[in-house]
Amino acid sequence: MIRVESLCGRDLISIADLTRNELKALIDLSFKMKELYYNGTKFLNILNGKTVALIFEKHSTRTRVSLQVAVHQLGGNSLYLSAQELQLARGEPIKDTARVLERYVDGIVARVYSHKSLIELAEYSRIPVINALSDVEHPLQALADVMTIIELKKDLRKLKIAFFGDGRDNVAHSLMLAVTMLGGTIYISTPQGYDPDREILKRAIEYANESGGQVLIVRDPIEAAKNADVIYTDVWVSMGQENEREKRIRDLRKYQVNSDLISYAKSNFIFMHCLPAHRGEEVTEDVIESKNSAVWIQAENRLHTAKAVFASILA
Ligand code: CP
Ligand code: NVA
């Protein structure tokens, strides 16, 4: 069976919804999906007759396309629903939307402004709800991130992974949880006022204590970059934070990933970014276009991990 059996019918709202074994199994399955894809088995008929609703309150390129293609390649049908075009935008409550959609479709994927909307969708529907990004987490991204790190660097437990910029970032939160769950070491290099969410940090510390990993908050970007195997950044202004733009750019400037910062990393480090990237802000053009950049492999892995997730949760 190509799926992680225990995930069948479950929600995936946070990386913390997974056990360590389930996370490992999902990554293994993602590698299997990638191998099948490259060996010519692009299509698997495991979601035959199933429909997935994709609700998007925000923009998306990678998540939307990888998820729709993943459902298609698994033999299912997906419905892209812009929240703007749903009655949601005219005030229909989320709990009503949830109870209606569960009568038509087999799973709901949602990209939302508020994490609470996902919790409400999950509470009011009896079908699986999958987080396609909220203000708090981006678990589907973290799956592709750890897959990419393992693909390019093998044993994650031996690595120094450093994230630069907004420590409260959704992508950073999910990455922290996934890396510590798997026994890796992650440095979050961020200024005062941008520390990760307390609950998520607490959870990551617990995972690290259990797995032999580490999570450190470091103000000095050079300390975080020194001998790093992975240098990761995300945008300084996330979707929904546009009105804080000037302040964020001012506060986070010191954390830009540029040629000076990467000169402290190991010579064979990889550069990662969930994308979209803002060249000249969180990363410079030379770094993202360098031979160390893994961003295209990382983006590709969104498809393979999405297939692993859908095959496990919905098949
Ligand atoms: N990385 C990511 O989620 O990209 P999109 O916003 O394009 O989906
Ligand atoms: N932190 C970014 C990630 C985009 C994929 C945002 O939320 O806009």
Side-chain angles (χ1 to χ4, degrees), residues 203-258:
R203 185 71 74 108
I205 293 170
E206 282 166 17
Y207 289 158
N209 289 341
E210 288 162 18
S211 68
Q214 259 186 304
V215 52
L216 299 115
I217 310 293
V218 179
R219 302 279 175 240
D220 177 10
I222 294 176
E223 186 190 338
K226 259 187 199 150
N227 288 315
D229 300 278
V230 177
I231 300 268
Y232 199 125
T233 191
D234 185 14
V235 293
W236 290 341
V237 185
S238 283
M239 291 179 278
Q241 299 174 334
E242 290 78 6
N243 57 356
E244 300 168 23
R245 183 170 174 80
E246 274 171 34
K247 177 175 168 25
R248 290 181 152 268
I249 289 181
R250 221 175 27 245
D251 293 348
L252 297 168
R253 198 177 299 281
K254 210 177 110 190
Y255 297 85
Q256 184 186 64
V257 177
N258 53 33

Tab-separated table of all heavy atoms in Angstrom, residues 203-258:
chain	number	residue	atom	x	y	z
A	203	ARG	N	6.959	23.599	22.257
A	203	ARG	CA	6.776	22.282	21.644
A	203	ARG	C	8.075	21.827	20.952
A	203	ARG	O	8.485	20.673	21.073
A	203	ARG	CB	5.614	22.354	20.648
A	203	ARG	CG	5.214	21.073	20.003
A	203	ARG	CD	4.523	20.139	20.968
A	203	ARG	NE	3.180	20.573	21.273
A	203	ARG	CZ	2.067	19.954	20.819
A	203	ARG	NH1	2.169	18.892	20.074
A	203	ARG	NH2	0.871	20.395	21.128
A	204	ALA	N	8.708	22.749	20.255
A	204	ALA	CA	9.948	22.397	19.541
A	204	ALA	C	11.045	22.009	20.541
A	204	ALA	O	11.829	21.087	20.287
A	204	ALA	CB	10.403	23.569	18.667
A	205	ILE	N	11.085	22.693	21.678
A	205	ILE	CA	12.087	22.350	22.701
A	205	ILE	C	11.807	20.948	23.250
A	205	ILE	O	12.721	20.138	23.425
A	205	ILE	CB	12.109	23.423	23.825
A	205	ILE	CG1	12.639	24.745	23.253
A	205	ILE	CG2	12.962	22.969	25.009
A	205	ILE	CD1	12.506	25.954	24.177
A	206	GLU	N	10.519	20.641	23.451
A	206	GLU	CA	10.163	19.286	23.926
A	206	GLU	C	10.613	18.236	22.905
A	206	GLU	O	11.210	17.225	23.259
A	206	GLU	CB	8.639	19.168	24.106
A	206	GLU	CG	8.118	19.817	25.380
A	206	GLU	CD	6.581	19.981	25.350
A	206	GLU	OE1	5.890	19.319	24.514
A	206	GLU	OE2	6.100	20.798	26.155
A	207	TYR	N	10.312	18.503	21.639
A	207	TYR	CA	10.732	17.546	20.595
A	207	TYR	C	12.246	17.385	20.601
A	207	TYR	O	12.770	16.270	20.498
A	207	TYR	CB	10.307	18.033	19.203
A	207	TYR	CG	8.830	17.974	18.925
A	207	TYR	CD1	8.273	18.780	17.938
A	207	TYR	CD2	7.989	17.104	19.612
A	207	TYR	CE1	6.918	18.742	17.657
A	207	TYR	CE2	6.632	17.065	19.335
A	207	TYR	CZ	6.096	17.883	18.362
A	207	TYR	OH	4.755	17.840	18.078
A	208	ALA	N	12.940	18.513	20.703
A	208	ALA	CA	14.403	18.469	20.668
A	208	ALA	C	14.933	17.660	21.846
A	208	ALA	O	15.858	16.842	21.695
A	208	ALA	CB	14.964	19.888	20.682
A	209	ASN	N	14.324	17.850	23.016
A	209	ASN	CA	14.772	17.103	24.198
A	209	ASN	C	14.572	15.597	24.012
A	209	ASN	O	15.389	14.795	24.441
A	209	ASN	CB	14.042	17.584	25.455
A	209	ASN	CG	14.513	18.967	25.858
A	209	ASN	OD1	15.590	19.422	25.441
A	209	ASN	ND2	13.709	19.669	26.641
A	210	GLU	N	13.474	15.243	23.332
A	210	GLU	CA	13.202	13.815	23.113
A	210	GLU	C	14.085	13.226	22.023
A	210	GLU	O	14.456	12.064	22.075
A	210	GLU	CB	11.744	13.618	22.660
A	210	GLU	CG	10.723	13.836	23.753
A	210	GLU	CD	9.318	14.077	23.164
A	210	GLU	OE1	9.085	13.737	21.984
A	210	GLU	OE2	8.476	14.633	23.902
A	211	SER	N	14.399	14.030	21.015
A	211	SER	CA	15.045	13.482	19.816
A	211	SER	C	16.557	13.692	19.791
A	211	SER	O	17.240	13.175	18.908
A	211	SER	CB	14.452	14.158	18.569
A	211	SER	OG	14.838	15.529	18.538
A	212	GLY	N	17.074	14.497	20.715
A	212	GLY	CA	18.505	14.791	20.687
A	212	GLY	C	18.818	15.965	19.772
A	212	GLY	O	19.972	16.253	19.472
A	213	GLY	N	17.774	16.668	19.341
A	213	GLY	CA	17.986	17.857	18.508
A	213	GLY	C	18.155	19.098	19.367
A	213	GLY	O	18.307	19.003	20.594
A	214	GLN	N	18.122	20.254	18.719
A	214	GLN	CA	18.303	21.515	19.434
A	214	GLN	C	17.554	22.618	18.703
A	214	GLN	O	17.495	22.619	17.469
A	214	GLN	CB	19.778	21.914	19.398
A	214	GLN	CG	20.554	21.628	20.669
A	214	GLN	CD	21.957	22.212	20.539
A	214	GLN	OE1	22.665	21.866	19.583
A	214	GLN	NE2	22.321	23.081	21.450
A	215	VAL	N	17.048	23.580	19.475
A	215	VAL	CA	16.508	24.789	18.853
A	215	VAL	C	17.058	25.974	19.626
A	215	VAL	O	16.994	26.009	20.854
A	215	VAL	CB	14.959	24.759	18.769
A	215	VAL	CG1	14.301	24.454	20.088
A	215	VAL	CG2	14.419	26.082	18.233
A	216	LEU	N	17.681	26.896	18.905
A	216	LEU	CA	18.303	28.049	19.548
A	216	LEU	C	17.842	29.338	18.899
A	216	LEU	O	17.746	29.415	17.671
A	216	LEU	CB	19.826	27.955	19.402
A	216	LEU	CG	20.485	26.737	20.037
A	216	LEU	CD1	21.093	25.875	18.964
A	216	LEU	CD2	21.519	27.168	21.037
A	217	ILE	N	17.557	30.331	19.723
A	217	ILE	CA	17.215	31.658	19.201
A	217	ILE	C	18.490	32.492	19.310
A	217	ILE	O	19.064	32.609	20.398
A	217	ILE	CB	16.105	32.334	20.043
A	217	ILE	CG1	14.916	31.392	20.250
A	217	ILE	CG2	15.681	33.661	19.422
A	217	ILE	CD1	14.126	31.049	19.018
A	218	VAL	N	18.952	33.019	18.180
A	218	VAL	CA	20.235	33.709	18.148
A	218	VAL	C	20.038	35.093	17.529
A	218	VAL	O	19.511	35.224	16.431
A	218	VAL	CB	21.235	32.898	17.289
A	218	VAL	CG1	22.566	33.591	17.212
A	218	VAL	CG2	21.419	31.507	17.865
A	219	ARG	N	20.438	36.119	18.254
A	219	ARG	CA	20.277	37.482	17.699
A	219	ARG	C	21.318	37.785	16.616
A	219	ARG	O	21.040	38.479	15.652
A	219	ARG	CB	20.422	38.536	18.815
A	219	ARG	CG	19.431	38.357	19.943
A	219	ARG	CD	18.072	38.929	19.612
A	219	ARG	NE	17.135	38.618	20.690
A	219	ARG	CZ	16.015	37.921	20.548
A	219	ARG	NH1	15.634	37.500	19.371
A	219	ARG	NH2	15.248	37.668	21.583
A	220	ASP	N	22.542	37.252	16.814
A	220	ASP	CA	23.638	37.573	15.900
A	220	ASP	C	23.595	36.666	14.661
A	220	ASP	O	23.824	35.455	14.768
A	220	ASP	CB	24.962	37.388	16.658
A	220	ASP	CG	26.169	37.632	15.764
A	220	ASP	OD1	25.991	38.124	14.621
A	220	ASP	OD2	27.291	37.312	16.199
A	221	PRO	N	23.311	37.218	13.481
A	221	PRO	CA	23.195	36.360	12.293
A	221	PRO	C	24.504	35.635	11.946
A	221	PRO	O	24.472	34.519	11.412
A	221	PRO	CB	22.780	37.333	11.182
A	221	PRO	CG	23.023	38.704	11.692
A	221	PRO	CD	23.005	38.637	13.184
A	222	ILE	N	25.627	36.254	12.286
A	222	ILE	CA	26.911	35.602	11.953
A	222	ILE	C	27.102	34.336	12.788
A	222	ILE	O	27.511	33.294	12.268
A	222	ILE	CB	28.081	36.594	12.123
A	222	ILE	CG1	27.927	37.715	11.083
A	222	ILE	CG2	29.437	35.894	11.989
A	222	ILE	CD1	28.940	38.819	11.168
A	223	GLU	N	26.724	34.426	14.042
A	223	GLU	CA	26.812	33.240	14.902
A	223	GLU	C	25.947	32.107	14.327
A	223	GLU	O	26.344	30.939	14.321
A	223	GLU	CB	26.351	33.613	16.318
A	223	GLU	CG	26.531	32.496	17.320
A	223	GLU	CD	25.849	32.799	18.670
A	223	GLU	OE1	25.615	33.993	18.982
A	223	GLU	OE2	25.547	31.829	19.384
A	224	ALA	N	24.771	32.460	13.837
A	224	ALA	CA	23.872	31.445	13.275
A	224	ALA	C	24.407	30.886	11.952
A	224	ALA	O	24.237	29.703	11.644
A	224	ALA	CB	22.485	32.036	13.063
A	225	ALA	N	25.067	31.723	11.170
A	225	ALA	CA	25.534	31.285	9.842
A	225	ALA	C	26.818	30.457	9.913
A	225	ALA	O	27.090	29.655	9.010
A	225	ALA	CB	25.764	32.509	8.957
A	226	LYS	N	27.585	30.655	10.986
A	226	LYS	CA	28.889	29.978	11.088
A	226	LYS	C	28.769	28.469	10.966
A	226	LYS	O	28.045	27.828	11.730
A	226	LYS	CB	29.534	30.320	12.440
A	226	LYS	CG	30.590	31.396	12.300
A	226	LYS	CD	31.367	31.647	13.557
A	226	LYS	CE	32.015	33.003	13.422
A	226	LYS	NZ	32.200	33.675	14.707
A	227	ASN	N	29.457	27.905	9.964
A	227	ASN	CA	29.471	26.458	9.732
A	227	ASN	C	28.101	25.841	9.483
A	227	ASN	O	27.923	24.643	9.698
A	227	ASN	CB	30.121	25.724	10.910
A	227	ASN	CG	31.610	25.960	10.905
A	227	ASN	OD1	32.244	25.880	9.846
A	227	ASN	ND2	32.167	26.290	12.057
A	228	ALA	N	27.165	26.651	9.047
A	228	ALA	CA	25.825	26.108	8.788
A	228	ALA	C	25.835	25.228	7.537
A	228	ALA	O	26.579	25.467	6.587
A	228	ALA	CB	24.822	27.245	8.618
A	229	ASP	N	25.002	24.184	7.578
A	229	ASP	CA	24.826	23.302	6.411
A	229	ASP	C	23.653	23.776	5.561
A	229	ASP	O	23.608	23.525	4.355
A	229	ASP	CB	24.520	21.875	6.877
A	229	ASP	CG	25.634	21.303	7.724
A	229	ASP	OD1	26.615	20.818	7.137
A	229	ASP	OD2	25.542	21.384	8.970
A	230	VAL	N	22.686	24.387	6.231
A	230	VAL	CA	21.491	24.867	5.531
A	230	VAL	C	21.232	26.310	5.964
A	230	VAL	O	21.186	26.608	7.158
A	230	VAL	CB	20.252	24.002	5.887
A	230	VAL	CG1	19.004	24.556	5.209
A	230	VAL	CG2	20.468	22.536	5.515
A	231	ILE	N	21.073	27.174	4.983
A	231	ILE	CA	20.722	28.570	5.251
A	231	ILE	C	19.327	28.783	4.666
A	231	ILE	O	19.128	28.564	3.461
A	231	ILE	CB	21.715	29.530	4.542
A	231	ILE	CG1	23.149	29.298	5.013
A	231	ILE	CG2	21.259	30.986	4.655
A	231	ILE	CD1	23.601	30.131	6.173
A	232	TYR	N	18.381	29.155	5.515
A	232	TYR	CA	16.981	29.247	5.089
A	232	TYR	C	16.456	30.654	5.389
A	232	TYR	O	16.747	31.208	6.442
A	232	TYR	CB	16.151	28.219	5.886
A	232	TYR	CG	14.802	27.863	5.278
A	232	TYR	CD1	14.474	26.534	5.007
A	232	TYR	CD2	13.857	28.835	4.981
A	232	TYR	CE1	13.235	26.191	4.461
A	232	TYR	CE2	12.632	28.507	4.424
A	232	TYR	CZ	12.324	27.185	4.168
A	232	TYR	OH	11.100	26.851	3.613
A	233	THR	N	15.696	31.209	4.478
A	233	THR	CA	15.001	32.442	4.805
A	233	THR	C	13.619	32.468	4.162
A	233	THR	O	13.316	31.653	3.276
A	233	THR	CB	15.821	33.695	4.405
A	233	THR	OG1	15.200	34.861	4.977
A	233	THR	CG2	15.905	33.875	2.905
A	234	ASP	N	12.793	33.375	4.638
A	234	ASP	CA	11.464	33.586	4.060
A	234	ASP	C	11.236	35.096	3.998
A	234	ASP	O	12.002	35.874	4.597
A	234	ASP	CB	10.391	32.893	4.927
A	234	ASP	CG	8.986	32.970	4.312
A	234	ASP	OD1	8.862	33.316	3.125
A	234	ASP	OD2	8.001	32.695	5.032
A	235	VAL	N	10.203	35.491	3.322
A	235	VAL	CA	9.900	36.920	3.171
A	235	VAL	C	9.799	37.623	4.526
A	235	VAL	O	9.439	37.019	5.524
A	235	VAL	CB	8.575	37.147	2.401
A	235	VAL	CG1	8.719	36.702	0.966
A	235	VAL	CG2	7.402	36.439	3.078
A	236	TRP	N	10.106	38.901	4.524
A	236	TRP	CA	9.998	39.697	5.756
A	236	TRP	C	8.565	40.158	5.999
A	236	TRP	O	8.173	40.461	7.110
A	236	TRP	CB	10.926	40.916	5.660
A	236	TRP	CG	12.376	40.558	5.720
A	236	TRP	CD1	12.910	39.396	6.200
A	236	TRP	CD2	13.481	41.371	5.310
A	236	TRP	NE1	14.280	39.434	6.114
A	236	TRP	CE2	14.648	40.627	5.567
A	236	TRP	CE3	13.584	42.641	4.748
A	236	TRP	CZ2	15.929	41.119	5.289
A	236	TRP	CZ3	14.853	43.132	4.471
A	236	TRP	CH2	16.012	42.375	4.734
A	237	VAL	N	7.813	40.265	4.909
A	237	VAL	CA	6.425	40.730	5.024
A	237	VAL	C	5.528	39.617	4.472
A	237	VAL	O	5.418	39.437	3.269
A	237	VAL	CB	6.204	42.034	4.226
A	237	VAL	CG1	4.792	42.572	4.461
A	237	VAL	CG2	7.256	43.085	4.578
A	238	SER	N	4.930	38.874	5.373
A	238	SER	CA	4.058	37.782	4.949
A	238	SER	C	2.708	38.321	4.498
A	238	SER	O	2.342	39.456	4.822
A	238	SER	CB	3.857	36.795	6.101
A	238	SER	OG	4.997	35.986	6.248
A	239	MET	N	1.954	37.468	3.812
A	239	MET	CA	0.623	37.871	3.359
A	239	MET	C	-0.228	38.219	4.582
A	239	MET	O	-0.271	37.452	5.547
A	239	MET	CB	-0.017	36.728	2.557
A	239	MET	CG	0.666	36.508	1.222
A	239	MET	SD	-0.064	35.128	0.291
A	239	MET	CE	0.739	33.714	1.042
A	240	GLY	N	-0.834	39.375	4.534
A	240	GLY	CA	-1.637	39.826	5.675
A	240	GLY	C	-0.888	40.814	6.571
A	240	GLY	O	-1.469	41.399	7.473
A	241	GLN	N	0.424	40.991	6.332
A	241	GLN	CA	1.221	41.908	7.172
A	241	GLN	C	1.630	43.169	6.414
A	241	GLN	O	2.517	43.897	6.855
A	241	GLN	CB	2.498	41.187	7.648
A	241	GLN	CG	2.218	39.960	8.480
A	241	GLN	CD	3.475	39.175	8.815
A	241	GLN	OE1	4.463	39.246	8.080
A	241	GLN	NE2	3.434	38.430	9.896
A	242	GLU	N	0.995	43.395	5.283
A	242	GLU	CA	1.413	44.486	4.389
A	242	GLU	C	1.469	45.848	5.081
A	242	GLU	O	2.319	46.666	4.756
A	242	GLU	CB	0.512	44.544	3.152
A	242	GLU	CG	0.698	43.375	2.170
A	242	GLU	CD	0.020	42.061	2.586
A	242	GLU	OE1	-0.714	42.053	3.596
A	242	GLU	OE2	0.233	41.044	1.900
A	243	ASN	N	0.594	46.059	6.062
A	243	ASN	CA	0.612	47.388	6.704
A	243	ASN	C	1.787	47.585	7.660
A	243	ASN	O	1.997	48.688	8.154
A	243	ASN	CB	-0.735	47.695	7.392
A	243	ASN	CG	-1.090	46.637	8.415
A	243	ASN	OD1	-0.363	45.649	8.557
A	243	ASN	ND2	-2.184	46.825	9.128
A	244	GLU	N	2.554	46.510	7.930
A	244	GLU	CA	3.746	46.641	8.793
A	244	GLU	C	5.013	46.674	7.950
A	244	GLU	O	6.117	46.534	8.481
A	244	GLU	CB	3.856	45.427	9.739
A	244	GLU	CG	2.700	45.229	10.660
A	244	GLU	CD	2.760	43.852	11.344
A	244	GLU	OE1	3.859	43.255	11.446
A	244	GLU	OE2	1.698	43.380	11.755
A	245	ARG	N	4.858	46.805	6.648
A	245	ARG	CA	5.973	46.645	5.724
A	245	ARG	C	7.221	47.455	6.100
A	245	ARG	O	8.319	46.903	6.238
A	245	ARG	CB	5.505	46.992	4.308
A	245	ARG	CG	6.572	46.791	3.278
A	245	ARG	CD	6.069	46.906	1.863
A	245	ARG	NE	7.233	46.839	0.999
A	245	ARG	CZ	7.835	45.708	0.657
A	245	ARG	NH1	7.342	44.554	1.067
A	245	ARG	NH2	8.915	45.718	-0.080
A	246	GLU	N	7.053	48.749	6.285
A	246	GLU	CA	8.237	49.600	6.527
A	246	GLU	C	8.977	49.203	7.784
A	246	GLU	O	10.199	49.093	7.799
A	246	GLU	CB	7.817	51.068	6.602
A	246	GLU	CG	7.770	51.690	5.220
A	246	GLU	CD	7.160	53.067	5.216
A	246	GLU	OE1	7.361	53.788	6.212
A	246	GLU	OE2	6.482	53.392	4.239
A	247	LYS	N	8.246	48.971	8.843
A	247	LYS	CA	8.851	48.606	10.122
A	247	LYS	C	9.598	47.269	10.015
A	247	LYS	O	10.729	47.128	10.470
A	247	LYS	CB	7.770	48.517	11.198
A	247	LYS	CG	8.305	48.069	12.550
A	247	LYS	CD	7.225	48.106	13.612
A	247	LYS	CE	7.583	47.408	14.914
A	247	LYS	NZ	8.962	47.274	15.280
A	248	ARG	N	8.962	46.310	9.355
A	248	ARG	CA	9.572	44.990	9.235
A	248	ARG	C	10.866	45.065	8.426
A	248	ARG	O	11.864	44.435	8.786
A	248	ARG	CB	8.587	44.021	8.562
A	248	ARG	CG	7.433	43.690	9.434
A	248	ARG	CD	6.473	42.714	8.794
A	248	ARG	NE	5.838	42.001	9.866
A	248	ARG	CZ	6.276	40.852	10.366
A	248	ARG	NH1	7.286	40.229	9.812
A	248	ARG	NH2	5.680	40.301	11.385
A	249	ILE	N	10.858	45.831	7.361
A	249	ILE	CA	12.058	45.934	6.531
A	249	ILE	C	13.188	46.574	7.328
A	249	ILE	O	14.332	46.112	7.281
A	249	ILE	CB	11.733	46.666	5.216
A	249	ILE	CG1	10.883	45.720	4.362
A	249	ILE	CG2	12.998	47.112	4.485
A	249	ILE	CD1	10.485	46.225	3.028
A	250	ARG	N	12.835	47.570	8.109
A	250	ARG	CA	13.832	48.216	8.970
A	250	ARG	C	14.365	47.228	10.021
A	250	ARG	O	15.561	47.057	10.183
A	250	ARG	CB	13.151	49.388	9.685
A	250	ARG	CG	13.976	50.630	9.793
A	250	ARG	CD	13.240	51.822	10.406
A	250	ARG	NE	12.151	51.535	11.335
A	250	ARG	CZ	10.872	51.842	11.087
A	250	ARG	NH1	10.528	52.431	9.958
A	250	ARG	NH2	9.930	51.591	11.977
A	251	ASP	N	13.465	46.532	10.686
A	251	ASP	CA	13.867	45.651	11.798
A	251	ASP	C	14.651	44.424	11.331
A	251	ASP	O	15.478	43.891	12.074
A	251	ASP	CB	12.622	45.156	12.553
A	251	ASP	CG	11.899	46.270	13.273
A	251	ASP	OD1	12.461	47.382	13.390
A	251	ASP	OD2	10.748	46.028	13.725
A	252	LEU	N	14.350	43.937	10.126
A	252	LEU	CA	14.919	42.647	9.707
A	252	LEU	C	16.117	42.776	8.765
A	252	LEU	O	16.763	41.776	8.433
A	252	LEU	CB	13.816	41.785	9.068
A	252	LEU	CG	12.670	41.415	10.041
A	252	LEU	CD1	11.474	40.834	9.307
A	252	LEU	CD2	13.160	40.427	11.099
A	253	ARG	N	16.432	44.004	8.402
A	253	ARG	CA	17.500	44.260	7.423
A	253	ARG	C	18.809	43.522	7.738
A	253	ARG	O	19.452	42.956	6.854
A	253	ARG	CB	17.777	45.768	7.348
A	253	ARG	CG	18.537	46.202	6.094
A	253	ARG	CD	18.710	47.706	6.037
A	253	ARG	NE	17.441	48.439	6.001
A	253	ARG	CZ	16.700	48.599	4.917
A	253	ARG	NH1	17.074	48.069	3.775
A	253	ARG	NH2	15.589	49.288	4.964
A	254	LYS	N	19.164	43.513	9.008
A	254	LYS	CA	20.429	42.895	9.453
A	254	LYS	C	20.449	41.382	9.173
A	254	LYS	O	21.499	40.752	9.222
A	254	LYS	CB	20.537	43.128	10.966
A	254	LYS	CG	21.926	43.237	11.513
A	254	LYS	CD	21.907	43.546	13.014
A	254	LYS	CE	22.370	42.347	13.818
A	254	LYS	NZ	22.138	42.510	15.268
A	255	TYR	N	19.275	40.803	8.904
A	255	TYR	CA	19.179	39.349	8.746
A	255	TYR	C	19.114	38.925	7.277
A	255	TYR	O	18.785	37.788	6.958
A	255	TYR	CB	17.973	38.825	9.555
A	255	TYR	CG	18.198	39.097	11.025
A	255	TYR	CD1	17.851	40.329	11.588
A	255	TYR	CD2	18.846	38.162	11.833
A	255	TYR	CE1	18.118	40.612	12.918
A	255	TYR	CE2	19.123	38.442	13.160
A	255	TYR	CZ	18.759	39.665	13.702
A	255	TYR	OH	19.041	39.941	15.014
A	256	GLN	N	19.441	39.842	6.380
A	256	GLN	CA	19.429	39.516	4.948
A	256	GLN	C	20.453	38.411	4.646
A	256	GLN	O	21.582	38.446	5.145
A	256	GLN	CB	19.806	40.753	4.122
A	256	GLN	CG	19.711	40.504	2.626
A	256	GLN	CD	20.224	41.676	1.806
A	256	GLN	OE1	21.413	42.006	1.867
A	256	GLN	NE2	19.342	42.316	1.057
A	257	VAL	N	20.048	37.449	3.821
A	257	VAL	CA	20.986	36.410	3.386
A	257	VAL	C	21.685	36.932	2.127
A	257	VAL	O	21.088	37.029	1.055
A	257	VAL	CB	20.249	35.076	3.128
A	257	VAL	CG1	21.223	34.030	2.604
A	257	VAL	CG2	19.578	34.584	4.415
A	258	ASN	N	22.955	37.298	2.305
A	258	ASN	CA	23.738	37.873	1.203
A	258	ASN	C	25.125	37.227	1.163
A	258	ASN	O	25.406	36.309	1.957
A	258	ASN	CB	23.823	39.403	1.365
A	258	ASN	CG	24.346	39.788	2.747
A	258	ASN	OD1	25.168	39.073	3.325
A	258	ASN	ND2	23.861	40.900	3.273
